[in-house]
Structures are given as structure tokens and as C-alpha cells.
Amino acid sequence: MDPRREHVRRLLQVDAYITDLHGKNAQPAQIIDISRMGVAFVSDTAMPTNEQYLLSFNFPGSDIRNEITLTVLHCASIGSQGRFRNGARFLVISEACADRIFEYVTTAPA
């Protein structure tokens, strides 16, 4: 089995922010899918690989802000609008946030 697909992913289209580890240089992003171990998101700028960032987002209908430290594993240009699809692996995640992600990916869509 491809290790990138070891964990169940679920589509998730929510707005997010990516910042450096100091919480500066925030840029908008849109999450497109998520799993217990990682996330795919679209950004307006290319994200250097093997760099660490802080991802911040809310699940639909929730006021709880999730913050996760991640590393970008790949970045590829998509479409003609100068956007980029990124794949990242989680590095530091709270137990509560991990539980919310697990619940999201294992619950059937409404």
C-alpha cells in the first residue's frame, strides 16, 4: 500500500491560514482534504517543501480553531490562475485536535 494513503482521507473545503512558526506572514489557503496524518490545501503562492508552517482552520459549523504544525511534502502548480496544490504531513497536533480530525474523517457526510 502506498504510505501516503495509509490513513482515510475525507474531502473538506474550508478556508484556512498558513503562517510561519512565529505566527507571522499569514497567507490564506483552502483545505481540500484531510486525514489523521496530513492535509492537502491550495495556496496562492508556492510553498517550499520540507519547511515547517502553522495551519489554522475551523471545521464547518464549529467555532473551535484548530492549529497544527506541519511540513509541506509537495507543491505543484494547478490551473491557469497561479495557484498551487500542496500536500503536507502533520508534525505537532494536540490530542483534542487529532480527535476532531478522527471524528470528521470517520463520520459519514450528512
Side-chain angles (χ1 to χ4, degrees):
M1 172 183 262
D2 183 344
R4 293 177 301 162
R5 301 297 175 245
E6 188 174 331
H7 299 277
V8 175
R9 289 184 172 268
R10 182 169 166 201
L11 295 178
L12 173 63
Q13 294 185 331
V14 295
D15 292 331
Y17 287 95
I18 299 287
T19 63
D20 61 25
L21 293 182
H22 304 290
K24 298 180 180 177
N25 304 317
Q27 68 170 300
Q30 184 177 35
I31 294 175
I32 54 178
D33 72 44
I34 195 165
S35 76
R36 287 179 49 218
M37 301 302 290
V39 65
F41 63 93
V42 176
S43 61
D44 292 335
T45 59
M47 304 294 295
T49 58
N50 299 316
E51 296 280 332
Q52 293 183 16
Y53 298 96
L54 184 64
L55 172 71
S56 178
F57 71 98
N58 293 51
F59 280 104
S62 174
D63 292 332
I64 300 170
R65 197 77 178 155
N66 300 288
E67 292 190 342
I68 303 167
T69 302
L70 54 77
T71 185
V72 175
L73 300 177
H74 64 86
C75 177
S77 177
I78 57 171
S80 61
Q81 302 297 316
R83 301 201 62 187
F84 298 86
R85 186 180 198 282
N86 304 276
R89 176 176 294 138
F90 300 147
L91 297 176
V92 179
I93 182 171
S94 72
E95 186 174 333
C97 183
D99 289 346
R100 287 189 291 274
I101 291 171
F102 179 77
E103 182 178 333
Y104 181 81
V105 299
T106 58
T107 302

